[in-house]
Amino acid sequence: MDHSVEIELSKLDPSIPFRASTTHLHSTWAKTLYSRPELYICPQSLEEIQKTVTLARRCRRRLVVVGCGHSPSDLTCTSAWMMNLDEYNKILSIDKEKGVVIMQSGIRLYTLGDEMKKVGLMMPNLGSIDNQSIAGAFATATHGSSTRHGLLSQSVLALRIMLANGRIVSCSADQNVDLFRAALVSLGAIGVITQVTYQMVPNFNIEWEQSLQPLQRVLDQWNGELWTQAEFVRVWWWPYGQKAVVWKAAKTSKDERPVESNWYGSTVGFHTYHIMLYLAQWIPRLLPAIEWYVVGMQFGFKVGTTKTAVQEGRTGLLMDCLYSQRVNEWAIPLEKGPEVISRISNWLQNEQESSGIPFDPKGVFVHAPIEVRVSDTTPTTPRPFLDNTTADGPTLYLNFTLYRPFNRDPPALERYYEAVEWLMKEMGGRPHWAKNFTTVSKEEFRKMYGENLDHWLRVRDDVDPEGMFVGDWHRRNLLPDTLPTLALEEKEQKRENASGGGENWFGKSASKPPSSKGSEESFDLVHGAEAESLTLLPKQESTLHGRNELNTVAVSEDEEEEL
């Protein structure tokens, strides 16, 4: 540990642990990027989080909060300090009658699902995976697939956030509303979300059915009952065979009934497909034939083949991401789906003229399926400032996945994503914040979000004027060019190829001396007692799952400085 850090650490309360490692290697889930933080910190209490934030401020370090690292982008990469909240994962209170649950922000969704099942509750909706932390999931606008649900953040009732000055601020739809709207899609740049109040629903099973259909039939039903025939609907589009698997699910009181399995459907299929994808790295023209084989073995060779099952909602709504992958997902108005799908389909069939896409498709072969999902955020109020969905109607999500067999990028990556992004922008689309968009400039983001981006930037500057939570990703995509480098902002220095695939990421923090508008004075929007300088009272025993409930009290600035 750096000697200057040791000196500052010695000034703080030694009874509060500082659980830091200097040897951690961080990677994204997909092994696309690696970085070595100077310190990797794993707090287990609110006091420890505050100690970390206070120390980072005094030592002039950027601080990155990370969960499972499922985003394949450089959003979580740092050479500065990284804080993981996996051990800050307790349920604090449950109001079973109202379905309102208060939890620490580091709890993973799968753990939350297990805990909620014990009391007969569940999250109303889920995305494709449940490996994220609750705070990490809604911080990047995670969604499921249903026209009856919006983003996961739609069910967030209130938040508590530790700002760069070490103070805790509460926010909700009724209190500090601008901070709430900024934090619901925070992109890790607002502060450390420490507590989440969430609206649950009674636990439920789902009965689902999936059927193999011609793509044209799906497009013909688009404006009919395709997306409204059940509460949860999603489509997997197989472009070379012009087919689609339509998956629909409804809540049920029926007992669980597993899906019929075959010899290919588990380990054999997993490894077979992986090896085939690897071979296609060298012979891309194999991919249409590989698609035909995988669709047939997994879903059936005959159109109309159907499978059904009854599963717990908390597991049945999920899907297996299989292998390391690049993902490029965009949100567009639902009614534009048939045009977009038809034009991309034409482009992949080497019909460039009819596609209207100004990129040569010759030699481009892609992986499948393309995932097609929906949401409807029109009832959401207040809306997150950086909500990428359509405000006045249902939203369609198209997720263009390219697998990385044995952690190697496929040859079609650059041109495929250039073509897709060009069309998505023409259709008024917005990229998913956590995915691999490659051609979107900050000027285009400004046009996409307008004054909502201005509001988010204003709140961000108010709560973290020195940029403790700002990295190169934020500068590259969102921060205006007119804004000087912030005192604690980290910028990317270089990338190097990693031996096992992917890239090693290196950054450098500005580490400027405190400014006249420092983190100590941050968040002028908060009035008086709404901002709490944190000191924990003696722990009060709670009967809830044998855990302790924590109370906070405001103390003087001198006491805060001494922690």
Side-chain angles (χ1 to χ4, degrees), residues 21-27 35-41 66 82 84:
S21 166
T22 60
T23 59
H24 180 76
L25 175 63
H26 169 72
S27 71
S35 64
R36 286 192 179 275
E38 177 189 2
L39 291 180
Y40 182 73
I41 306 153
V66 67
M82 180 175 287
N84 178 277

Side-chain angles (χ1 to χ4, degrees), residues 289-301:
I290 291 172
E291 178 190 297
W292 171 83
Y293 176 79
V294 170
V295 171
M297 296 301 295
Q298 191 72 28
F299 302 103
F301 287 98

